[in-house]
Amino acid sequence: MDKPTVSVAILGQTYNIHCPKGHEAELKESAEYLDTQMREIKASGKIVGLEKIAVLAALNITHDMLSGRKFARSNEQQLRELTSQLDAALTHETKLVNE
């Protein structure tokens, strides 16, 4: 099965990338996000060189992703704890009603 080729532009360079069918929009969105991040780094004027800009953008994006995962795990744990408390309260309430 052939994978579609998607053209994306990052810092003025066009790249043709194969991706799984049905994921073309996600690839384009990812490329646009990367392009925006790299343009912001380049505009700061502190980093020179495409490779350094790309590495810094990758580090920033990875940091954001990992922070998001930690936040999600924390929320999941809080939700489990609240669900447990709710279950215990409902069980207690059911026992009182049945007595």
Side-chain angles (χ1 to χ4, degrees):
M1 183 167 119
D2 290 329
K3 291 183 177 181
T5 300
V6 177
S7 292
V8 297
I10 300 171
L11 283 183
Q13 292 283 99
T14 300
Y15 301 90
N16 295 314
I17 302 172
H18 296 287
C19 73
K21 188 173 181 128
H23 294 271
E24 298 90 347
E26 293 167 352
L27 175 59
K28 286 181 180 182
E29 183 180 6
S30 297
E32 289 171 7
Y33 185 78
L34 176 59
D35 182 60
T36 299
Q37 296 299 307
M38 290 179 69
R39 286 183 185 281
E40 288 176 5
I41 293 167
K42 184 177 180 183
S44 76
K46 296 177 184 175
I47 306 296
V48 178
L50 183 60
E51 185 176 307
K52 288 181 180 180
I53 291 170
V55 168
L56 186 56
L59 286 171
N60 288 342
I61 292 168
T62 302
H63 176 265
D64 291 345
M65 180 196 69
L66 293 175
S67 294
R69 282 185 182 174
K70 287 178 185 175
F71 182 73
R73 279 194 293 268
S74 173
N75 285 343
E76 289 171 3
Q77 179 61 32
Q78 287 177 337
L79 184 57
R80 279 192 293 275
E81 291 170 5
L82 289 172
T83 301
S84 178
Q85 291 174 6
L86 182 58
D87 286 342
L90 289 173
T91 300
H92 179 73
E93 183 69 24
T94 302
K95 287 179 181 178
L96 289 176
V97 170
N98 290 333
E99 290 179 355

